[in-house]
Amino acid sequence: MTMSRLPTTALSLKQFLQRQKVLGIYRNMLKTIRQVPDEADRKYLRDWARGEFKRNKNATEQDAIRMMITQANNHLEELQKSLALARS
Amino acid sequence: MAARVLQQCVRSFARPSLRLCSGNLAVRAAAAPTAALHRPLSFAADSRRTRWLGQSRSPSVGVLCRQYGDLPPLTLETIKDRVLYVLKLYDKINPEKLQTTSHFMKDLGLDSLDQVEIIMAMEDEFGFEIPDAEAEKLMTPEEIVQYIADKKDVYE
């Protein structure tokens, strides 16, 4: 009765939230990359983003993941700022 | 009186095959700006109107329509075809193994990052935003088709 019926691969709440955050950042990044004017640049950035995310797919420590999330957010903000400058 | 004249004009526009049309249109176009010719014009209109009314009553309602610009209406079939087409273009999916019921993660071996990319491609294809909470639940092409049909009010 006290045995948990969750599968062993189920994530804890914090891990689940972090996973959602990472997926949200990936989505935002792809949306921002879509606004880049040059097609070749877009492809390069998409491949770069995909590579970065996939490379660190198997990280398990929460702190390391948190650092990577911060880095990704910084990259995203940089990209958005450059796009805003380029547009003006 | 002017309203009756305009009505005749509109009916004559809608039925270009009538031989009376061109003559009347020319007369009307010349007479429309000048209010003085209204009286003789309305006599002509009255004399010919009876002839027209016999022919033009029923079909004119269908022919007098405005035209708006819009995309062709969606059906379940077309949504399914477009979803499968977009999925076949995705380089990580093997087109032979693709079915409407193939699960992205279990059958096609994709991971959640790929699923995010697929949903974004669907957003591009169909032109509307899919929020994160609902996007992460769409795991087979069948579910995507159902979701789009729900959002776009497509029933069959």
Side-chain angles (χ1 to χ4, degrees):
Chain A
M1 285 299 243
T2 51
M3 283 279 285
S4 162
R5 278 196 218 116
L6 292 174
T8 45
T9 52
L11 305 169
S12 76
L13 181 63
K14 286 214 181 101
Q15 284 173 325
F16 183 71
L17 291 175
Q18 242 179 11
R19 179 175 178 272
Q20 296 305 99
K21 219 184 281 185
V22 170
L23 291 175
I25 293 178
Y26 190 52
R27 235 173 122 87
N28 289 336
M29 193 157 303
L30 288 181
K31 282 200 187 135
T32 316
I33 290 175
R34 226 189 259 168
Q35 298 168 6
V36 172
D38 188 27
E39 179 57 43
D41 286 344
R42 232 180 294 174
K43 188 168 186 327
Y44 175 75
L45 286 170
R46 258 200 301 251
D47 292 338
W48 164 79
R50 218 190 269 194
E52 288 285 328
F53 273 84
K54 295 243 171 175
R55 203 164 1 116
N56 299 315
K57 201 163 65 148
N58 300 316
T60 44
E61 307 148 36
Q62 244 191 17
D63 295 328
I65 298 179
R66 220 180 299 161
M67 268 199 325
M68 287 190 260
I69 290 179
T70 320
Q71 257 183 17
N73 272 325
N74 290 339
H75 283 299
L76 186 59
E77 273 176 30
E78 234 184 76
L79 192 55
Q80 282 169 340
K81 282 190 190 141
S82 328
L83 276 176
L85 274 176
R87 235 176 289 155
S88 61
Chain B
M1 219 179 283
R4 238 184 283 143
V5 169
L6 281 175
Q7 258 190 356
Q8 308 303 328
C9 282
V10 172
R11 274 205 211 107
S12 69
F13 270 121
R15 323 188 102 257
S17 56
L18 278 179
R19 260 180 287 138
L20 300 170
C21 273
S22 47
N24 281 326
L25 276 181
V27 170
R28 297 254 157 69
T34 63
L37 286 177
H38 259 189
R39 183 138 318 165
L41 194 56
S42 63
F43 284 152
D46 285 339
S47 66
R48 294 190 194 181
R49 200 183 355 136
T50 48
R51 241 187 290 168
W52 281 10
L53 278 181
Q55 300 163 357
S56 66
R57 260 303 164 200
S58 33
S60 71
V61 181
V63 176
L64 293 178
C65 62
R66 296 187 194 167
Q67 289 164 332
Y68 300 97
D70 197 5
L71 300 167
L74 291 174
T75 63
L76 281 179
E77 266 305 306
T78 56
I79 297 178
K80 189 169 72 109
D81 290 337
R82 282 164 80 179
V83 166
L84 289 178
Y85 183 66
V86 170
L87 287 177
K88 284 186 186 139
L89 287 177
Y90 189 57
D91 55 357
K92 298 220 183 100
I93 293 185
N94 187 0
E96 283 107 54
K97 284 209 285 183
L98 183 64
Q99 311 255 315
T100 44
T101 50
S102 39
H103 195 272
F104 292 141
M105 300 204 186
K106 292 187 222 160
D107 298 334
L108 299 171
L110 303 172
D111 65 359
S112 49
L113 293 172
D114 298 324
Q115 197 254 355
V116 170
E117 286 179 34
I118 289 173
I119 299 295
M120 293 201 65
M122 295 297 157
E123 284 181 1
D124 280 338
E125 168 71 22
F126 289 97
F128 71 99
E129 281 257 340
I130 302 179
D132 281 357
E134 307 184 6
E136 62 173 9
K137 299 188 197 134
L138 303 173
M139 283 294 167
T140 74
E142 182 60 42
E143 283 177 20
I144 298 178
V145 171
Q146 281 301 320
Y147 179 81
I148 295 176
D150 284 341
K151 285 292 163 180
K152 293 278 178 175
D153 292 331
V154 176
Y155 307 107
E156 261 174 40

